[in-house]
Amino acid sequence: MRNVYLGDSGVLVQYMQLALNRAGIQVAIDGRFGRQTCAGLRTFLGEDVGCYVDKTVWNRLKPYLKGYMTYTINRGDTLWRIAQEYGSRVESIQTANPSIDAQNLKIGTKIYVPFSFPIVSEEVDYSSILNAYIIEGLAVRYPFLITGSIGQSVMGRDIPYVQIGSGEKQIFYNASFHANEWITTPVLLKFIEEYAKAYAANQSLYGENSRQLFEEYSLFLVPMVNPDGVDLVNGVLGNTYYENNARRIAASYPDIPYPSGWKANIEGVDLNLQFPAGWEQARRIKEEQGFIGPAPRDYVGVAPLTAPESISVYDFTIRHDFRLILAYHSQGEVIYWKYLDYEPEDSRRIAEYFGMVSGYTVEETPYASGYAGYKDWFIQDYNRPGYTIEVGTGVNPLPMSQFPQIYEANRYILLGGMTQI
């Protein structure tokens, strides 16, 4: 992460403030690096230093973003003493270190010590940086999770996935195909954390037996399909060439606010208009609307499956046997469940169930956006239930103040994506 200084503002300042709060130093998480934040930072560092965060300071703050620290066993240590010192729990340390023998701690052994707070924040805006930190932290806290990358973005960023469960029935959820719809990323991340926590403690997940879910289903989640685009929208891209190119693209579309109106990948291709399901029809519709080349949104590309992010999702799908998919978008509080006249078995029933538990309306996809989407292709090629879930209301990007309401509406959809199959 780049350096931040007194007077700066933005998402990275939010992350510093979040880390300070988690370290026990109360500052407002407002994204403004003012005097209060400066005083908190100096308290954290334990010295009267300049008000800036460089690589060295970030390294001290990062454990509070990832949710764990690494500790080396010393003579006389016990798990209880370590837990007390670092605000953890013995059970959490044992879960994160399944091979450790609590009665025979070996001096010099490095262990993971999870902090007590939830890793998934409901207070800050999201980026590929935070997405990666959270997935790393979840994998440390809950080593039964499987993590990896489905591919890379235009700029070479990994597109991480998480798998929870070992069952025969495979399910797939994804989010943030569109850059300014990044609020969908923490929806999936929080569900992973809630599920993993329940499984580790042998507790129910929203009324369902978590152990039984784990054994019956393999749930795969890609919380951020479009990392470059998300980082552009939230001001943390950190690449002058691509930033300048995005500005040039946006300048041709002055009616679309920049960067808040940016949905596409960093090269101006709409990733959810890249799939071989009526792609030609999608191109005609979007060209009639004026999107004939790279744009902040609605440009279908020169052909299907030419954007690396869409190719990665496509390839990941064909390597698996998904029984159902959920594609998370914002906004509108609506569930789209059909593609043309395809109606896979149980798809209508499941859609109505999702509507009932969420309060969202259930509709067929509007004509103008009814082709070349991931959900469309999945239904067409697999004849299995696929859904686009549009969360929240208002103008994208939606503020994190909506997140609690969004998650409450969607937690039973996320659970039902497994239990209703």
Side-chain angles (χ1 to χ4, degrees):
M1 288 193 286
R2 67 172 180 263
N3 295 356
V4 293
Y5 300 91
L6 183 66
D8 283 351
S9 61
V11 171
L12 295 184
V13 177
Q14 289 182 12
Y15 295 170
M16 172 184 58
Q17 293 167 332
L18 175 64
L20 291 174
N21 275 271
R22 288 175 166 180
I25 299 164
Q26 298 304 305
V27 299
I29 303 178
D30 59 9
R32 296 192 293 269
F33 196 167
R35 293 295 175 184
Q36 183 205 34
T37 299
C38 174
L41 181 63
R42 285 174 169 167
T43 300
F44 173 76
L45 295 173
E47 50 190 316
D48 188 9
V49 295
C51 273
Y52 60 89
V53 180
D54 58 11
K55 182 178 180 180
T56 299
V57 178
W58 275 126
N59 285 339
R60 292 181 62 177
L61 291 167
K62 282 179 186 178
Y64 297 97
L65 299 177
K66 297 179 180 183
Y68 77 95
M69 62 167 294
T70 303
Y71 178 81
T72 303
I73 299 293
N74 295 309
R75 186 179 303 277
D77 273 339
T78 66
L79 293 188
W80 184 85
R81 191 204 65 76
I82 296 168
Q84 290 295 302
E85 182 175 351
Y86 293 101
S88 186
R89 298 171 62 248
V90 170
E91 295 82 1
S92 299
I93 297 174
Q94 289 175 315
T95 298
N97 303 273
S99 62
I100 197 171
D101 181 354
Q103 304 303 317
N104 186 28
L105 299 180
K106 297 189 180 300
I107 297 172
T109 301
K110 293 185 182 298
I111 63 170
Y112 298 125
V113 181
F115 297 122
S116 60
F117 53 78
I119 304 177
V120 179
S121 170
E122 301 184 20
E123 301 169 282
V124 300
D125 298 346
Y126 275 68
S127 67
S128 69
I129 300 166
L130 189 59
N131 183 56
Y133 285 173
I134 289 172
I135 290 174
E136 177 186 328
L138 290 173
V140 165
R141 286 192 181 193
Y142 306 109
F144 50 81
L145 296 176
I146 298 171
T147 63
S149 173
I150 69 167
Q152 293 186 321
S153 68
V154 169
M155 291 175 56
R157 289 182 166 91
D158 282 331
I159 304 173
Y161 78 89
V162 180
Q163 177 188 344
I164 181 167
S166 57
E168 180 182 351
K169 297 178 182 177
Q170 297 185 356
I171 311 294
F172 179 39
Y173 303 162
N174 57 66
S176 291
F177 258 95
H178 289 145
N180 63 356
E181 299 175 10
W182 54 259
I183 200 169
T184 58
T185 290
V187 173
L188 297 196
L189 290 173
K190 180 165 182 175
F191 186 72
I192 299 167
E193 184 165 25
E194 295 281 287
Y195 183 0
K197 181 180 178 181
Y199 177 78
N202 196 19
Q203 296 174 345
S204 66
L205 176 65
Y206 310 140
E208 293 287 339
N209 186 314
S210 62
R211 294 296 174 97
Q212 185 174 333
L213 290 173
F214 194 95
E215 292 169 3
E216 186 172 352
Y217 301 94
S218 290
L219 175 60
F220 297 81
L221 308 98
V222 175
M224 188 176 289
V225 172
N226 186 2
D228 302 343
V230 170
D231 287 355
L232 175 70
V233 169
N234 281 333
V236 294
L237 190 67
N239 185 296
T240 301
Y241 170 80
Y242 283 107
E243 286 175 348
N244 290 339
N245 190 53
R247 287 193 190 94
R248 284 194 293 269
I249 292 170
S252 299
Y253 299 87
D255 293 338
I256 300 174
Y258 178 83
S260 64
W262 192 278
K263 294 173 65 176
N265 77 351
I266 199 63
E267 291 185 322
V269 177
D270 191 314
L271 300 178
N272 204 40
L273 292 171
Q274 270 276 287
F275 291 87
W279 181 85
E280 292 283 356
Q281 183 68 8
R283 183 175 67 175
R284 285 192 290 270
I285 292 170
K286 298 307 178 184
E287 286 182 351
E288 288 172 1
Q289 295 173 350
F291 298 100
I292 59 175
R297 59 177 173 86
D298 291 335
Y299 174 55
V300 301
V302 296
L305 299 175
T306 52
E309 300 90 346
S310 299
I311 294 169
S312 295
V313 175
Y314 176 90
D315 288 344
F316 191 67
T317 302
I318 64 176
R319 291 197 303 269
H320 292 87
D321 184 28
F322 298 133
R323 307 285 187 92
L324 175 147
I325 63 95
L326 299 180
Y328 265 86
H329 292 257
S330 66
Q331 43 72 35
E333 297 188 345
V334 62
I335 299 164
Y336 297 122
W337 69 284
K338 285 189 72 175
Y339 173 62
L340 300 180
D341 293 329
Y342 292 90
E343 189 170 326
E345 183 179 0
D346 282 336
S347 59
R348 182 189 295 267
R349 175 188 62 79
I350 295 171
E352 291 172 349
Y353 172 81
F354 288 164
M356 178 187 69
V357 298
S358 65
Y360 288 6
T361 59
V362 177
E363 299 179 7
E364 297 183 18
T365 310
Y367 171 78
S369 55
Y371 299 92
Y374 173 70
K375 177 264 292 178
D376 308 325
W377 166 73
F378 181 81
I379 293 173
Q380 169 191 275
D381 276 30
Y382 290 89
N383 196 31
R384 291 176 174 176
Y387 304 92
T388 296
I389 315 293
E390 299 276 0
V391 307
T393 59
V395 177
N396 290 324
L398 300 181
M400 279 300 287
S401 59
Q402 286 198 30
F403 181 81
Q405 180 181 354
I406 288 172
Y407 189 77
E408 180 64 24
N410 280 273
R411 61 190 180 117
Y412 285 105
I413 293 179
L414 293 159
L415 181 64
M418 293 182 284
T419 62
Q420 294 300 305
I421 285 291

